Amino acid sequence: MSQAWEKYSVQGQQRRIRAGERLFRAAQWRAMNPGWYGPHKIPISFRPQHAVLSMHVWFLHKRLIVNSAAPPTHTPAPTSETTPTAPSTNLLIDEELFDIFWNDTRSRIRAVDGIHELTVNKHLKDAQQATFLQCTQYDHAFLDFRDDPQKQHAIICDAVWKHVLG
């Protein structure tokens, strides 16, 4: 009953939105660190910044998935000050995280000079395709080559080269 309440109640949704927002802002803060960008570093433009942010969101996504697969432990009743961490709630937080990510992406697309409002959804679709390709490449490295760290490293380097630096 408590899982159904957490999933369908307004308070449960508000907690998930807050948790997703906090996770996204943490990823955004790390990804937009000025130390990453500049001359002889990552170029300051939409695609590379989006790729770095996508990588950080992927880290959080994987952590939420791993935590959702963990055996349930005693979880205290959520209050307005805490974020529920029940395994089933982690998947819902993951959905909120990606909703916030896509809304932020749409806002960043609108902020790019030369992008007309009528083409925002087309550019969002392109950004989503690039993000899914990047995340699939990371998943491939960690799922298909668990016992081969050299191959994992090569695939991750290839993904970073293509999406962040390319």
Side-chain angles (χ1 to χ4, degrees), residues 142-160:
F142 284 98
L143 294 176
D144 296 342
F145 298 101
R146 291 177 192 235
D147 300 328
D148 190 356
Q150 290 178 336
K151 186 68 173 171
Q152 277 183 342
H153 186 262
I155 292 172
I156 292 167
C157 287
D158 181 57
V160 170

Side-chain angles (χ1 to χ4, degrees), residues 15-32 52-65 67 83-85 89-101 104:
R15 277 192 291 277
R16 291 191 305 274
I17 290 170
R18 274 195 309 273
E21 183 74 31
R22 287 179 184 147
L23 288 171
F24 177 74
R25 294 298 168 211
Q28 185 181 45
W29 184 76
R30 296 297 298 170
M32 297 304 171
V52 173
L53 181 57
S54 297
M55 182 173 54
H56 283 81
V57 168
W58 180 81
F59 293 150
L60 294 172
H61 162 71
K62 293 313 276 184
R63 184 59 184 210
L64 288 167
I65 295 296
N67 286 349
T83 302
T85 57
T89 304
N90 287 335
L91 296 177
L92 297 172
I93 292 171
D94 192 41
E95 286 180 30
E96 294 296 339
L97 174 65
F98 274 95
D99 285 345
I100 293 163
F101 178 48
D104 178 76

Side-chain angles (χ1 to χ4, degrees), residues 23-156:
L23 288 171
F24 177 74
R25 294 298 168 211
Q28 185 181 45
W29 184 76
R30 296 297 298 170
M32 297 304 171
N33 184 333
W36 291 108
Y37 306 99
H40 309 294
K41 296 180 183 177
I42 299 172
I44 302 172
S45 63
F46 177 82
R47 285 279 180 178
Q49 287 180 331
H50 182 75
V52 173
L53 181 57
S54 297
M55 182 173 54
H56 283 81
V57 168
W58 180 81
F59 293 150
L60 294 172
H61 162 71
K62 293 313 276 184
R63 184 59 184 210
L64 288 167
I65 295 296
V66 167
N67 286 349
S68 69
T73 58
H74 173 70
T75 305
T79 66
S80 62
E81 299 299 319
T82 63
T83 302
T85 57
S88 60
T89 304
N90 287 335
L91 296 177
L92 297 172
I93 292 171
D94 192 41
E95 286 180 30
E96 294 296 339
L97 174 65
F98 274 95
D99 285 345
I100 293 163
F101 178 48
W102 299 130
N103 288 335
D104 178 76
T105 301
R106 186 178 290 116
S107 297
R108 287 184 292 111
I109 289 170
R110 284 189 175 117
V112 174
D113 288 336
I115 301 292
H116 300 288
E117 185 62 31
L118 293 174
T119 63
V120 168
N121 285 336
K122 177 196 168 293
H123 289 285
L124 177 63
K125 180 182 171 193
D126 293 343
Q128 287 175 328
Q129 286 178 338
T131 300
F132 293 141
L133 182 63
Q134 178 183 6
C135 292
T136 301
Q137 206 164 358
Y138 294 144
D139 286 338
H140 172 65
F142 284 98
L143 294 176
D144 296 342
F145 298 101
R146 291 177 192 235
D147 300 328
D148 190 356
Q150 290 178 336
K151 186 68 173 171
Q152 277 183 342
H153 186 262
I155 292 172
I156 292 167

